[in-house]
Amino acid sequence: MMNFYNPNNRNNSKKQDGTIHKWNSMMPRNIRRDQQSSNSQNETSNSNIAAIAGNWIEAVGTIIAAIGSTPSRIFTEQTLTDFNLIGNILEAGGTAIAAEAGSELLDVVGDQLQAIGNIAVVAGILNSNEQSSELLQKQGDLLQVVGLGMTIQTSGQLTLLQTIANTGNIIQLIGNVIQVFANTNSTEGIVTNAVGAWIQAVGAVITALATE
């Protein structure tokens, strides 16, 4: 296709830019302010939706993982392992979504660490070497502890919902700490690990319910 150069194009473009600039300057300030406010509200709304979705996905994941961590006569060992795997994958996805919606640096980094911790647990479950599997899962639980610790707010005035969400995070932290110290090579340790998993699930649901 042939392209014919027209020296008037640049001048016409400048005139159009000048016209648009004049139009914007003539626009009442309250209209421009309303447009900016509308854009800001849309961004906040999208962020809230992502936070709610992320926390609920994480909560569902913790419940499924808790079922997989609980000794059962109904499900086979393989089924329980599958539950644990699916639960941790959902947890990783949920916390990753919540991290994208975070506004505070500590919250974002904390959620990212939790997601990495869940991925480490998944890697441990899939690892065929028993020793490596246990080590990866413990390291994953420990990363989740560190991540949750970073999301807990200890200063400033919190709203009622923020206080409830904070309490949920603390409960999750307690559950994860129990799992870190549970010796899954013994019957008592397996039960302790299950208790920790269910405590974490309760905390995750509380946090999800309080997400605004």
Side-chain angles (χ1 to χ4, degrees), residues 83-133:
F83 275 140
N84 227 330
L85 183 64
I86 294 168
N88 277 281
I89 290 172
L90 286 173
E91 284 184 60
T95 48
I97 293 171
E100 291 296 320
S103 57
E104 300 291 332
L105 179 61
L106 283 177
D107 288 339
V108 173
V109 175
D111 284 335
Q112 289 174 342
L113 281 175
Q114 289 180 69
I116 294 169
N118 285 120
I119 292 170
V121 173
V122 169
I125 294 171
L126 295 174
N127 197 311
S128 57
N129 185 290
E130 189 176 343
Q131 231 176 357
S132 299
S133 174

Side-chain angles (χ1 to χ4, degrees), residues 1 5-6 32 41 53 58 66 69 73 76 88-89 108 111 119 130 136 141 144 159-160 164 182 185 193 197 202:
M1 180 185 295
Y5 173 70
N6 185 350
R32 279 181 284 174
Q41 287 175 356
E58 180 187 359
S69 300
R73 293 180 181 178
T76 64
N88 277 281
I89 290 172
V108 173
D111 284 335
I119 292 170
E130 189 176 343
L136 279 169
D141 287 334
Q144 290 180 68
T159 64
L160 176 61
I164 294 171
N185 292 322
N193 183 68
V202 170

